[in-house]
Amino acid sequence: MERSPSPSRRNGTFDSTLVARPPLFTAPEDRAQGHRLRRAAFAPELQRKTQAERGPADGPRAAVYTALDAASDHKESGAIVQTQMHTHHASAVFLATLAAACAPAPDTGLPTPALHGIPFGPADSLTTALTPVDFDGDGTLDLGVGTGKHEPAPNMLYTSSEGGLLDLEEQLGEELDSTFGLAFGDLDRDGRMDFVAANDVSYHNRICLQQIDGGFDCRAWWRGWQSRDIDLVDLNGDGLLELIFTNKYQLDQIFFGGNLDWEPPIYVGQEPDGDSPMQAFGHRQRGSVAAAIGDVDLDGSPDVVIATRETQPSALHYGTPDGLGETRYLKLGSTRAVLLVDVDDDGALDLLAGNLMQPNLLLRNRGDGTLGPPEPVGPQAHNTWALGALDLDGDGLLDLIEGNAREPDRVHMGLPGGRFDEPFELDAVDSDTRAIAVGDFDDDGDQDFVVGRYGQQDLLFLVE
C-alpha cells in the first residue's frame, strides 16, 4: 500500500502517538555531552509558566524550575513528560515508605533535560494504543497507532521519510474499529507483518494477515469481550506466537500459535466446536484493563501481569512451557497501566503500576521471582493511564514518564537505588494521554518516546 504524507506534512506545517519492548539503556560513556532533546518547530507555542506565575518553590522542585527556566531562556522551551497521581489515605507504614521514597535527591551533576514534542497525525487524534514495530523490515522502527476507544476509527501506521519524524501515514486495513490494544507479529509465518486489534464490546476483535500485495485479510475473532489489551508472545517456546487478550468483563484468553485455521465462536457465550486451542484465565468480573509481559522469575518462560480496575486484585501469572501456571495476586489499586522494567539494575524485572486517584507504585523484584510490597512513586495521586521508562539524561538510570488524564503528563528522573525524583511537567497543558511508546525511532542509538493522546495531537520526543 502506498504511503502518503500526513496532512500536517502536506500542508507544510504540523497540525496535528510495548509488542516490541526495545532495550532501555545506552551506555553513559557514549553520551559524554549528556542528552540533548530535539527542539520542535512549534516550541514557542508551548509556553511554560514563569517562576512568578508558579509561586514559591524550594528544594528539588526549585531545581527543576531553574532548569526549565534556563532552557526557556535559550529558546528551548517545550514539553516535559507524563504522570497522574491522586492523594491516598495511608497507614503509618505507607507514610514511612512514602517519606523514604521522597527523601531529598542527591546532586547527580546532570541538568534536567528539556523535552520538546514534535506533533504528528490529526489534531484531534483518538489514540488509545501505541506499538513500535519494524513493519517494513528496513531496520528502522515504525509506529502502529490504535484509535477509537468507544468510537469507530481507523487504526494507523506511521513511518518516516527521514530522521524518524513519523511523517508518512497509511490506514491499517479497511475496517473502522473501537480499538484499545494493537499488536504486530508474523502470525502465519509468511515473512510479512500481521496485526491484531483488541476492540470494545460493539466490535469484533480482529486478526489481519498481510497479503503479498500489501493489503490485509481481516477476520473477526470473537465479539463481546470488551477487550482492553492484546499481546503477541511465544509463551511456550515453540517458535509460534500466542495471542493474549486482556478482557474487561470476561475471562482473559490465550490462543496458542499455529491455530489460525480454527474458527472461534463469534460471540461470548457460544461454545467452541471441537478442541479449542485456547486457555482462559483470570476472573470473569475482574475488570482487566492492561497487561505486561516479561520473565519475572528468570526461568526462561514469559510471565503475564494483568492490571485490573477497582473490583478485583491485579495478578501475576507465571508462565510454563504449557501456558500459564501459578497465580499470585497483587493489590495495586485502581490500575490502568503496568510496566515491567529493571528499575534498580539488578538483573530482575520490577513492576511499575499507574493508578487513578492514588499514587503510582513500584514493586521490586526480590530476586526469587516474587515482588515486594508496593512503594509509592512520588507523594501525590494522579490519573495515570500510561507509563514509559528510558534513560533521558545519560546517567545510566531509568527515568519514568507518566501519561495522565485531565492533568499534565509528568517525568520522574531516576535516582540511584531504583528511586525517582519529584516529577516535573512534560508541558503545562492538561492531557488525555492513553499510551506511551519507547523506541529508537530515529535510529541514532538513543531511546525516544511517543505520547498518544485522546482528542489531542500525538507527540514524538526524539532524544539526541
Side-chain angles (χ1 to χ4, degrees):
M1 182 182 299
E2 182 179 356
R3 296 170 187 151
S4 60
S6 65
S8 58
R9 298 294 294 179
R10 286 196 295 268
N11 296 337
T13 60
F14 291 108
D15 55 358
S16 326
T17 56
L18 278 290
V19 159
R21 289 176 173 85
L24 294 170
F25 289 104
T26 49
E29 56 268 22
D30 293 338
R31 285 166 283 166
Q33 302 302 317
H35 277 245
R36 299 179 304 280
L37 291 138
R38 183 166 297 170
R39 176 185 178 186
F42 73 109
E45 298 175 18
L46 297 177
Q47 297 298 323
R48 195 173 306 280
K49 291 183 179 180
T50 65
Q51 180 68 48
E53 292 171 328
R54 284 190 300 258
D58 52 22
R61 187 180 302 277
V64 171
Y65 287 164
T66 300
L68 293 177
D69 293 337
S72 179
D73 291 342
H74 287 84
K75 298 183 180 179
E76 295 286 334
S77 59
I80 297 198
V81 214
Q82 312 149 309
T83 106
Q84 304 170 323
M85 305 192 262
H86 295 282
T87 52
H88 179 64
H89 178 68
S91 65
V93 174
F94 180 87
L95 291 175
T97 307
L98 179 61
C102 300
D107 183 6
T108 62
L110 293 172
T112 300
L115 307 180
H116 306 301
I118 302 173
F120 69 98
D124 54 353
S125 172
L126 299 179
T127 298
T128 55
L130 297 173
T131 305
V133 57
D134 182 4
F135 187 82
D136 50 14
D138 64 355
T140 298
L141 273 185
D142 311 307
L143 185 69
V145 179
T147 68
K149 194 168 71 168
H150 304 303
E151 304 177 40
N155 293 322
M156 303 298 295
L157 176 72
Y158 287 89
T159 59
S160 302
S161 60
E162 60 179 356
L165 292 177
L166 301 176
D167 55 339
L168 302 178
E169 64 178 11
E170 65 178 81
Q171 183 172 330
L172 287 168
E174 299 178 356
E175 295 78 13
L176 300 181
D177 288 324
S178 56
T179 296
F180 277 85
L182 191 65
F184 294 84
D186 186 3
L187 292 169
D188 53 2
R189 294 169 291 166
D190 65 354
R192 292 185 289 270
M193 193 64 69
D194 313 308
F195 74 91
V196 183
N199 296 324
D200 196 28
V201 63
S202 300
Y203 293 81
H204 297 88
N205 290 332
R206 243 181 258 283
I207 291 180
C208 295
L209 304 179
Q210 188 177 177
Q211 305 299 295
I212 194 169
D213 63 357
F216 292 93
D217 174 19
C218 294
R219 65 187 69 174
W221 199 263
W222 227 322
R223 177 180 177 177
W225 285 350
Q226 297 189 55
S227 294
R228 291 298 182 263
D229 205 353
I230 172 66
D231 288 273
L232 297 180
V233 62
D234 182 5
L235 281 177
N236 53 15
D238 63 357
L240 304 175
L241 292 174
E242 275 69 59
L243 289 74
I244 304 177
F245 284 99
T246 301
N247 303 317
K248 183 177 178 182
Y249 290 128
Q250 297 291 336
L251 292 172
D252 302 318
Q253 306 280 356
I254 299 174
F255 289 91
F256 290 94
N259 292 287
L260 293 180
D261 292 333
W262 179 73
E263 294 292 341
I266 295 300
Y267 295 95
V268 169
Q270 295 178 339
E271 293 298 324
D273 296 327
D275 294 332
S276 168
M278 176 181 74
Q279 176 185 358
F281 66 102
H283 190 282
R284 188 179 297 275
Q285 295 298 324
R286 193 168 69 188
S288 302
V289 291
I293 314 293
D295 189 2
V296 175
D297 56 1
L298 301 175
D299 67 349
S301 295
D303 309 309
V304 181
V305 175
I306 299 291
T308 65
R309 298 163 65 94
E310 301 84 354
T311 55
Q312 298 289 334
S314 298
L316 168 57
H317 302 276
Y318 290 98
T320 74
D322 298 320
L324 296 183
E326 179 187 359
T327 297
R328 297 199 178 193
Y329 292 100
L330 309 169
K331 293 186 178 180
L332 303 180
S334 182
T335 304
R336 293 299 185 273
V338 282
L339 183 64
L340 285 170
V341 289
D342 185 2
V343 169
D344 47 14
D345 198 24
D346 64 353
L349 293 176
D350 310 300
L351 176 65
L352 287 160
N355 291 327
L356 299 187
M357 302 181 70
Q358 296 168 291
N360 295 331
L361 300 174
L362 167 64
L363 285 72
R364 299 180 188 274
N365 196 319
R366 294 189 176 104
D368 59 359
T370 64
L371 299 174
E375 304 172 19
V377 179
Q380 296 177 325
H382 295 281
N383 286 315
T384 299
W385 284 80
L387 296 170
L390 68 161
D391 183 5
L392 290 170
D393 56 1
D395 62 356
L397 303 173
L398 277 183
D399 309 309
L400 178 64
I401 306 169
E402 297 176 330
N404 299 316
R406 299 181 299 279
E407 61 180 293
D409 299 328
R410 292 179 173 86
V411 176
H412 292 264
M413 301 305 293
L415 301 175
R419 298 166 53 225
F420 294 100
D421 203 350
E422 286 192 24
F424 57 89
E425 294 179 355
L426 184 61
D427 63 52
V429 177
D430 285 354
S431 298
D432 196 355
T433 296
R434 296 302 168 124
I436 295 173
V438 173
D440 185 6
F441 292 99
D442 56 2
D443 202 25
D444 67 350
D446 296 319
Q447 296 293 294
D448 313 304
F449 68 96
V450 179
V451 174
R453 307 191 293 180
Y454 193 84
Q456 299 169 301
Q457 197 161 24
D458 299 331
L459 297 174
L460 166 67
F461 294 82
L462 295 177
V463 178
E464 293 183 347

